[in-house]
Amino acid sequence: MATVAGSLARTAFRRPLTSSCVQNVARAGNRSALPRGHRPAFQHRHQHQHQSRHGYSTVPPAGEKSSWSSRLPYWALGLTVAGGAAYYFTTLTQAQTVPEALKKGSAPDAKKGGVFKPTREDYQRVYDEVARRLEENDEYDDGSFGPVIVRLAWHCSGTYDKETGTGGSDGATMRFAPENDHGANAGLKAARDFLDPVKEKFPWISYSDLWTLAGVAAIQEMQGPAIPWRPGRNDRDAAACTPDGRLPDATKEQSHLRAIFGRMGFDDREIVALSGAHALGRCHTDRSGFTGPWTFSPTVVTNDYYKLLLDEKWNWKKWNGPRQFEDSKTKTLMMLPTDISLIKDAAFRKHVERYAKDQDAFFKEFSDVIVKLFELGVPFKTKEDERMTFKTSTA
């Protein structure tokens, strides 16, 4: 009889131990090993010339032995233990969804039919996760994914056409071909892949909202101005992809800039303000064909881009690549033909000079124009005064 009871117990114990159950048990153990709210501190690996980047900063009591258990037949005791094990593992597996749901946002309001409606706090959690990943993952250009995240947010928004009402950040159509293969979007897979774990952790947010919110986080975490933001973008399928040629061609000059940005509804001042994003990042020969950074601090938002345009002497770079400029002193910085057009054109130049003298003015107008860019063509259901401003990781 004892042999039969043992066989029944082993069979009952084996059934709940599926691979998913084992994984859930392992995850539960891993989570319990760290205290809630724990955020490890990370040390920077890179120092920049002008200024540094931000720092981000039980065993249950044993139960009493039942007085009647010793009087039960062995086979009944075996079934009792087996059933208890099945209940334990099934309950444990189901329980894993609770902390996962909490990580993904606030619990649904039962009084509203269980429909999840994200709050400001939920969007702040998304921001915090992007900021955390930016701090932890510093094995990209110059020690930060920040610039390429800004470029993703910029390029997914800069396809808007005010005449047809197509394009813009609403849709996140760069997920699909042919848009993700457009020449201007080369290299942005790195940014999309970087944000995929955030999307997995917060599946309720659309890619369209995530990419622009991440752009806001990247700018603010790189010591840039606060960028007010609001949700409301919806994802679309490949049928909504925009045609190639809607983003600026860096080999062109001022007439091209006015045509591209005018199609989106920007004036000369806004064109120059948006160009200030070139304070960040660098070009790559295997993407755009160009090479080098615009500034000496490519992971910090400053007005250095405008200062360097005016103060340095720029010569054509002698090489086998596309036509670009290099500074005559160090030959380590570069400017594109579209950049140089900003100081050749009198209407553009006056804004370059103003921003070079006053970083506060640049930050204010850069923030305003980024908000406008990220909202082009979005059918919001919220008002402008409902925009939210996120706390940075050092606030």
Side-chain angles (χ1 to χ4, degrees), residues 252-255 257-258 305 309 325 336-349 352:
K252 304 294 181 62
E253 295 190 342
Q254 54 265 44
S255 60
L257 287 178
R258 288 192 172 98
Y305 168 75
L309 267 174
F325 295 85
L336 304 169
T338 46
D339 298 314
I340 297 299
S341 72
L342 298 182
I343 56 175
K344 290 172 60 178
D345 186 281
F348 283 153
R349 186 182 179 103
V352 173

Side-chain angles (χ1 to χ4, degrees), residues 46-243:
H46 301 272
Q47 298 294 329
H48 298 290
Q49 179 166 341
H50 293 321
Q51 58 191 123
S52 64
R53 289 166 49 203
H54 278 144
Y56 295 95
S57 32
T58 68
V59 179
E64 281 188 5
K65 180 183 287 187
S66 300
S67 61
W68 51 266
S69 62
S70 60
R71 297 194 296 271
L72 280 174
Y74 286 117
W75 63 269
L77 180 60
L79 288 177
T80 301
V81 173
Y87 175 82
Y88 171 78
F89 283 108
T90 302
T91 303
L92 179 62
T93 301
Q94 293 171 344
Q96 303 311 307
T97 60
V98 175
E100 291 297 325
L102 292 177
K103 287 196 302 181
K104 293 169 184 175
S106 301
D109 187 344
K111 295 180 180 180
K112 297 180 180 179
V115 177
F116 174 62
K117 293 185 178 181
T119 64
R120 285 176 178 262
E121 289 74 21
D122 293 313
Y123 289 110
Q124 180 68 57
R125 291 186 188 101
V126 178
Y127 177 104
D128 292 343
E129 180 65 12
V130 173
R132 183 188 68 80
R133 287 185 55 76
L134 286 172
E135 179 61 20
E136 290 186 20
N137 298 274
D138 60 356
E139 299 298 330
Y140 198 68
D141 287 349
D142 305 297
S144 177
F145 272 89
V148 75
I149 297 298
V150 174
R151 182 168 165 246
L152 172 65
W154 203 115
H155 281 215
C156 77
S157 304
T159 57
Y160 181 68
D161 181 351
K162 66 180 182 180
E163 298 299 326
T164 63
T166 58
S169 63
D170 193 51
T173 50
M174 201 193 301
R175 290 171 293 147
F176 310 109
E179 192 170 336
N180 58 20
D181 293 325
H182 291 171
N185 294 331
L188 289 179
K189 184 178 185 300
R192 298 193 300 271
D193 290 349
F194 176 89
L195 293 174
D196 278 348
V198 183
K199 173 65 173 173
E200 291 173 7
K201 189 169 184 178
F202 303 96
W204 49 264
I205 191 171
S206 67
Y207 281 101
S208 310
D209 274 344
L210 174 60
W211 289 357
T212 52
L213 192 159
V216 168
I219 290 170
Q220 294 189 176
E221 294 300 311
M222 290 188 290
Q223 304 179 31
I227 311 291
W229 180 90
R230 55 178 165 159
R233 299 162 188 79
N234 298 299
D235 294 335
R236 300 183 183 181
D237 58 25
C241 283
T242 55

Side-chain angles (χ1 to χ4, degrees), residues 271-314:
I271 293 172
V272 177
L274 278 174
S275 298
H278 281 177
L280 301 170
R282 61 172 60 237
C283 289
H284 305 76
T285 55
D286 61 343
R287 299 176 188 178
S288 63
F290 303 103
T291 185
W294 287 267
T295 71
F296 291 111
S297 54
T299 62
V300 181
V301 182
T302 67
N303 64 341
D304 286 355
Y305 168 75
Y306 304 106
K307 292 180 179 179
L308 290 165
L309 267 174
L310 296 170
D311 296 343
E312 295 296 324
K313 182 178 180 182
W314 298 97

Side-chain angles (χ1 to χ4, degrees), residues 307-374:
K307 292 180 179 179
L308 290 165
L309 267 174
L310 296 170
D311 296 343
E312 295 296 324
K313 182 178 180 182
W314 298 97
N315 301 318
W316 287 109
K317 182 178 178 66
K318 295 179 181 179
W319 72 318
N320 294 326
R323 286 167 64 83
Q324 68 175 72
F325 295 85
E326 66 180 7
D327 69 302
S328 60
K329 292 180 182 178
T330 69
K331 299 186 185 303
T332 60
L333 300 179
M334 69 101 202
M335 290 287 172
L336 304 169
T338 46
D339 298 314
I340 297 299
S341 72
L342 298 182
I343 56 175
K344 290 172 60 178
D345 186 281
F348 283 153
R349 186 182 179 103
K350 66 181 182 181
H351 298 296
V352 173
E353 293 174 344
R354 187 163 56 86
Y355 294 147
K357 293 177 182 177
D358 189 345
Q359 180 164 280
D360 289 341
F362 164 57
F363 270 24
K364 170 63 170 64
E365 294 177 28
F366 180 68
S367 175
D368 291 343
V369 78
I370 285 291
V371 170
K372 179 177 177 177
L373 174 68
F374 288 179

